[in-house]
Amino acid sequence: MSITKESELTGMQQASIAVAETLRHMIHYAQPGMSTKELDEYGAGILAGFGAKSAPYLTYGFPGWTCISVNNEFCHGIPSNKRILKEGDLINIDVSAELNGFWADNGGSFVLGEDRYGHQKLVDASKEILQKTINSIRGGVKIADIGFLMESEAKKRGYKVIRNLGGHGIGRSLHEEPDELLNYKNRLDQRRFKKNSVVAIETFISTTSSYADTLNDGWTMVGNKGGFMAQHEHTIIVTDGKPIILTEANEILM
């Protein structure tokens, strides 16, 4: 969507605070020995407290309130009583929701407790790339150039990007134009970011794979060549200068 009046800005701010606070609290709440279902239910309670409704459940009938992916699961992981979190796990939580007709999205990967398996370097790279990406977005900038920046920064650090996942426009629904804000340079994409537009910018930084495949459960995605992936996501408003980060309260870049 494009912000055209104060009420739309307020609506997006409220929806974004709901998802950002939910993500922040879920990251702090996660503990070894806890199931991903318990963590999901905790997040659902926070969303409900804001009056917000789970976007993946509303839009796609997703079997959970948030997406929680662990270790080799790249994204869209289904919360489960059988999936028990362990010390050193690489965890990704993606929280998106609708509130009063406005939609916001954010996500973050983190290492649970001690970094036993060396995942923190990947997590830090994803954060750094998201920060650099957001700082480079403004009205008139080519979308493909931002994709090139993401891929270049990943390569510098010895990583790959997932080529079939990307950011997207958001606001009045979960996915809007401009869709497919990819993590690499699509030379055929001549689109440019527009001032006052709302977009969800997200990284998909991988150790081994370049594509994500869907498992038989119909939701969970893993790498086509295995490995691990870190994702970080903010909902932002594009301006003539530095973007407004609507989901800043999640503290994923602090």
Side-chain angles (χ1 to χ4, degrees):
M1 71 175 288
S2 182
I3 301 294
T4 59
K5 51 190 176 183
E6 193 69 26
S7 61
E8 291 174 337
L9 175 59
T10 300
M12 282 307 305
Q13 287 172 329
Q14 291 174 342
S16 296
I17 287 171
V19 298
E21 288 288 347
T22 300
L23 177 61
R24 181 170 66 86
H25 284 293
M26 288 179 72
I27 290 172
H28 288 303
Y29 187 73
Q31 295 291 332
M34 177 184 295
S35 73
T36 55
K37 181 67 172 176
E38 181 182 347
L39 182 57
D40 182 56
E41 291 292 346
Y42 174 76
I46 299 171
L47 284 177
F50 282 101
K53 299 175 182 176
S54 164
Y57 178 79
L58 273 180
T59 306
Y60 305 114
F62 180 74
W65 308 112
T66 66
C67 299
I68 305 176
S69 309
V70 183
N71 292 331
N72 66 308
E73 299 171 347
F74 280 17
C75 59
H76 306 159
I78 301 171
S80 169
N81 286 318
K82 296 179 180 178
R83 187 68 180 224
I84 306 301
L85 301 179
K86 298 180 179 64
E87 189 85 16
D89 277 347
L90 174 62
I91 303 171
N92 178 266
I93 302 175
D94 196 308
V95 182
S96 54
E98 179 273 336
L99 178 61
N100 299 325
F102 294 93
W103 302 65
D105 194 355
N106 69 163
S109 295
F110 62 99
V111 176
L112 186 63
E114 181 186 347
D115 184 26
R116 292 182 174 177
Y117 309 106
H119 294 312
Q120 191 61 49
K121 184 182 174 185
L122 174 64
V123 169
D124 290 344
S126 177
K127 289 182 179 183
E128 291 165 8
I129 293 168
L130 180 62
Q131 184 71 74
K132 197 158 197 172
T133 297
I134 289 175
N135 290 344
S136 302
I137 293 174
R138 53 185 44 82
V141 169
K142 273 191 173 183
I143 289 172
D145 287 347
I146 292 300
F148 178 72
L149 172 66
M150 287 178 155
E151 185 173 35
S152 299
E153 291 296 323
K155 284 182 177 179
K156 279 183 194 176
R157 293 164 173 81
Y159 296 118
K160 301 176 181 293
V161 297
I162 300 301
R163 297 173 72 86
N164 60 327
L165 295 172
H168 50 91
I170 193 169
R172 288 296 190 179
S173 61
L174 181 56
H175 283 254
E176 299 179 345
E177 291 298 330
D179 211 356
E180 294 191 341
L181 305 178
L182 302 173
N183 281 216
Y184 68 95
K185 185 168 186 172
N186 177 3
R187 298 183 184 281
L188 300 177
D189 188 354
Q190 298 300 312
R191 298 174 300 169
R192 296 176 184 270
F193 286 100
K194 296 179 181 178
K195 181 183 177 182
N196 298 327
S197 63
V198 184
V199 293
I201 298 295
E202 49 191 321
T203 57
F204 296 97
I205 310 303
S206 165
T207 59
T208 309
S209 295
S210 296
Y211 291 90
D213 296 329
T214 305
L215 295 180
N216 291 336
D217 65 17
W219 298 102
T220 309
M221 301 191 83
V222 300
N224 66 319
K225 294 183 178 179
F228 301 93
M229 186 196 80
Q231 177 258 20
H232 290 86
E233 176 183 20
H234 269 309
T235 293
I236 68 171
I237 301 175
V238 179
T239 72
D240 282 333
K242 190 175 180 181
I244 299 168
I245 302 177
L246 292 170
T247 47
E248 195 168 30
N250 63 29
E251 298 181 355
I252 60 172
L253 297 183
M254 295 182 71

